[in-house]
Amino acid sequence: MRWLDWSVVVVYLVWVVSSGIRASRRTDELDGYFRANRSLPWWAVGLSVMATQLSAITLVGTTGKAYADGMKFVQIYFGLPIAMVILSIFVVPFFYRANVYTAYEYLERRFDLKTRTLAAFTFLIQRGLSCGIVISAPSIILSIVLGWSLPVTIAIIGLPTIAYTMVGGVQAVTWTDVKQMGIILFAMGSAVCVLIFGLPHGMSTSTALHVAGAVGRMQSIDTSFNLKTDYTLWSGMLGGLFLMLSYFGCDQSQVQRYLTAKSVDSARHSLLVSGFAKIPLQALVLLTGVLTFAFFLFNKNPMLFNPVYERTVLASPRGEEYKALEGEYDQKFQTRQSAALALADAQKNTASPEYGAARTAFQTAQADVASVRSRAVKLVREVTGDSTYTDGNYVFPTFILTYMPIGLMGLMIAAILSAAMSASSGELNALATATAIDFYRRHINPTAPDSSSLFFSKAATAFWGLFACVAAYYAANLGSLIDTVNKIGSLFYGSILGVFILALLFKRSNGHGAFYGLLTGLAVVFLVSFHPQTKSISYLWHNLIGAVVCVVAGLIISAMTGGSKSLSSAANRV
């Protein structure tokens, strides 16, 4: 990167931190710090929710996944609109009128303290790990750009985020999210333009996408029913539905957002807008990944996208073996490039025999390139000992650092920083809120004044920020980041959703049923996830499994322990 790119990044960091803090009001009060005194407009809340999801994992991991697998990942969001309608009708007004700081406060009113504590603790562990993965994505990029160690680049991302989240609370998080959303969308639009203009002269975008579609990159819907396939229409509509219900309805990082809105209607609007905008937005990110694949059909890219591992292998005793693979790759790339150009030309008449031959030739050439790269990845794993290494996380960063023009490169890096900071700041604020409200004010110091609670929550923000930084270091080598964050969430989400289903829909359920139902759901999901006979089941189904097991076990245990003797008056009022 050149001085102009660095200037863009530095100006962005200074601006976003200072403006976020300046936008905060009455953060010396508990309600102002945690819920913004319920004063935020619906559009700001909606953009904040969207910015939280459009994390650096989305920009880096999803584009890399689309480069490798195409558009299929979009199916995970097919259940989202249905989830948003259900939550807007039933859950949003429920939590808003309950006048709670965290979603888990209600569980004590409805059940008992142990259920609230277990649910809050489960959230803290799951969200703390996920926050680390969110930070790891841009840290990888900076590590490549600067040649610095990963711990240093993690600190560059984590420390400013911790700072403005500690000072400004949820208001700083929301207003910085609004600004960051604009930066992200503008930068992504710029990247798409560079990708399109980088295609061969005279080649249209539709033609390039058609060529990419010849090897499955444009397939977005898989109607097969296979529990072992991650992304199908059915796993998205069912497993994805339960994932979204749990994430937006039971996860404090999302519940806290719509608790800051001015009214129930404002909270509903923010949720619905963010929900229905998510699918086209995610489709755009995936399409960017497919365009990156099409771009690299005609523009040379390295055999491996991680230059650090490439240098490591070249310096090893197997360096000559790697060089031989590079020579083979160069030949296969030239063959594929010629085949792609021939297919693009033949695409003018898809009914001609020439088109069929050109399509087959391109598919064969792509398979040959993929075979060489697969052998190169295997060699990297053997030399470095990183058995989980995949190349997808480095595809889009390589494009940014190689082909983005001066200035726009810095803007794109700033956008990735924006995505990481917006997502992690919201999660840190939610972690601090749950720690302060569900543990400090409930277990440690129930009579604590607001000043003590605020001090503790800021200390909790710092703790969880450092925890996430440590988790980020280990998350960098867990394979596809977008898959990893969803897989970790799916270990917990379904079971937590099951507890709230018991609370809201089954009056005869009690605290014993909810507590042990949650434990049973978690145990079954972990068993399914790691048992040799069932670990191949797609993680999306874990959300459905956890919810069903928790509800069934909870109802059985509630019946065995006498059912719900009475509901608290507070719960009835809600």
Side-chain angles (χ1 to χ4, degrees):
M1 294 208 324
R2 302 178 184 177
W3 68 268
L4 181 59
D5 298 307
W6 285 120
S7 299
V8 171
V9 173
V10 171
V11 168
Y12 157 73
L13 287 173
V14 173
W15 171 69
V16 76
V17 173
S18 60
S19 63
I21 294 174
R22 287 199 308 270
S24 304
R25 298 289 184 272
R26 298 173 66 180
T27 55
D28 56 339
E29 303 172 4
L30 204 64
D31 196 51
Y33 190 80
F34 288 142
R35 299 190 304 190
N37 299 111
R38 295 190 171 191
S39 62
L40 299 180
W42 68 267
W43 57 268
V45 177
L47 285 174
S48 180
V49 171
M50 291 171 64
T52 299
Q53 296 174 68
L54 197 62
S55 67
I57 293 177
T58 303
L59 298 186
V60 174
T62 305
T63 49
K65 189 166 189 62
Y67 174 92
D69 301 325
M71 299 286 292
K72 293 180 180 180
F73 183 76
V74 75
Q75 295 172 111
I76 192 177
Y77 296 102
F78 283 177
L80 180 58
I82 301 173
M84 291 308 200
V85 171
I86 294 172
L87 294 174
S88 296
I89 295 174
F90 299 106
V91 177
V92 170
F94 179 85
F95 278 130
Y96 199 89
R97 292 165 185 159
N99 196 30
V100 294
Y101 287 105
T102 75
Y104 317 109
E105 283 184 82
Y106 170 71
L107 294 179
E108 182 177 1
R109 301 182 189 179
R110 174 61 177 86
F111 294 126
D112 52 29
L113 178 59
K114 68 177 184 293
T115 303
R116 170 187 178 178
T117 303
L118 177 60
F121 178 77
T122 302
F123 161 75
L124 292 178
I125 298 301
Q126 178 269 324
R127 185 50 56 192
L129 294 173
S130 297
C131 189
I133 299 172
V134 168
I135 294 175
S136 70
S139 301
I140 293 170
I141 297 171
L142 284 183
S143 180
I144 295 173
V145 173
L146 302 175
W148 293 354
S149 66
L150 191 59
V152 173
T153 56
I154 288 172
I156 292 174
I157 304 296
L159 295 182
T161 307
I162 293 171
Y164 78 74
T165 306
M166 284 179 63
V167 175
V170 72
Q171 295 178 68
V173 169
T174 301
W175 290 116
T176 53
D177 283 353
V178 171
K179 298 177 178 68
Q180 288 163 333
M181 191 67 184
I183 294 174
I184 293 167
L185 292 177
F186 182 79
M188 286 299 292
S190 301
V192 169
C193 290
V194 173
L195 286 167
I196 292 174
F197 287 126
L199 295 173
H201 180 71
M203 181 177 292
S204 67
T205 306
S206 60
T207 298
L209 293 177
H210 182 91
V211 173
V215 285
R217 295 306 190 276
M218 291 302 294
Q219 182 183 355
S220 58
I221 297 179
D222 182 355
T223 58
S224 65
F225 188 86
N226 187 343
L227 295 179
K228 296 181 180 181
T229 302
D230 279 337
Y231 307 113
T232 67
L233 177 64
W234 311 112
S235 66
M237 291 296 294
L238 295 175
L241 172 63
F242 277 78
L243 171 62
M244 300 305 168
L245 284 173
S246 180
Y247 179 56
F248 288 98
C250 309
D251 192 293
Q252 177 62 21
S253 66
Q254 298 304 307
V255 172
Q256 187 165 351
R257 300 305 178 86
Y258 51 77
L259 290 179
T260 64
K262 292 182 178 180
S263 64
V264 172
D265 285 342
S266 292
R268 282 172 167 163
H269 290 158
S270 67
L271 204 61
L272 288 172
V273 167
S274 62
F276 281 90
K278 178 63 177 178
I279 293 179
L281 190 60
Q282 190 69 37
L284 174 63
V285 175
L286 287 166
L287 191 62
T288 303
V290 175
L291 279 172
T292 305
F293 173 81
F295 179 90
F296 280 134
L297 290 175
F298 308 104
N299 297 274
K300 187 66 184 297
N301 60 277
M303 181 171 64
L304 288 182
F305 290 96
N306 185 333
V308 176
Y309 274 8
E310 182 181 50
R311 290 192 294 269
T312 301
V313 176
L314 286 172
S316 73
R318 301 182 69 179
E320 292 301 319
E321 183 179 348
Y322 186 85
K323 290 180 181 179
L325 281 174
E326 279 191 312
E328 184 180 354
Y329 172 77
D330 289 340
Q331 295 176 357
K332 300 296 185 183
F333 175 85
Q334 294 294 336
T335 302
R336 185 185 66 174
Q337 184 183 56
S338 300
L341 289 169
L343 178 59
D345 185 62
Q347 188 260 338
K348 298 172 184 177
N349 184 8
T350 57
S352 66
E354 290 79 8
Y355 172 77
R359 184 182 177 93
T360 300
F362 172 66
Q363 290 171 338
T364 301
Q366 169 59 25
D368 290 341
V369 169
S371 175
V372 176
R373 294 189 72 243
S374 177
R375 281 180 280 156
V377 169
K378 181 180 179 182
L379 179 59
V380 167
R381 291 175 177 176
E382 292 172 353
V383 171
T384 64
D386 183 2
S387 60
T388 61
Y389 171 74
T390 59
D391 221 25
N393 296 329
Y394 306 92
V395 173
F396 199 54
T398 298
F399 162 73
I400 293 171
L401 300 173
T402 307
Y403 291 100
M404 290 289 281
I406 183 172
L408 287 181
M409 182 189 297
L411 180 66
M412 198 68 229
I413 296 297
I416 293 173
L417 292 176
S418 295
M421 294 171 74
S422 63
S424 56
S425 64
E427 295 181 352
L428 290 180
N429 187 248
L431 287 163
T433 304
T435 304
I437 299 299
D438 293 311
F439 289 91
Y440 178 73
R441 286 174 65 93
R442 187 62 186 87
H443 292 281
I444 300 174
N445 191 357
T447 60
D450 284 2
S451 58
S452 296
S453 299
L454 283 171
F455 177 81
F456 182 85
S457 67
K458 292 179 180 181
T461 301
F463 167 80
W464 284 112
L466 295 175
F467 177 92
C469 288
V470 174
Y473 178 79
Y474 293 99
N477 296 317
L478 290 179
S480 172
L481 293 172
I482 190 66
D483 281 341
T484 301
V485 71
N486 284 320
K487 287 177 180 178
I488 289 177
S490 295
L491 291 173
F492 302 91
Y493 277 144
S495 303
I496 295 178
L497 176 62
V499 173
F500 283 92
I501 292 174
L502 286 171
L504 298 175
L505 300 183
F506 295 96
K507 293 184 177 181
R508 296 297 299 173
S509 60
N510 61 23
H512 296 304
F515 181 83
Y516 292 106
L518 175 55
L519 287 177
T520 304
L522 290 171
V524 170
V525 169
F526 271 81
L527 179 65
V528 170
S529 301
F530 297 105
H531 193 278
Q533 299 299 319
T534 55
K535 66 179 182 180
S536 60
I537 294 177
S538 171
Y539 69 87
L540 282 176
W541 294 107
H542 296 165
N543 300 281
L544 177 60
I545 293 170
V548 171
V549 170
C550 178
V551 170
V552 172
L555 291 175
I556 293 174
I557 295 171
S558 293
M560 293 173 61
T561 54
S564 179
K565 300 296 190 295
S566 64
L567 297 177
S568 70
S569 58
N572 284 325
R573 284 197 301 272
V574 174

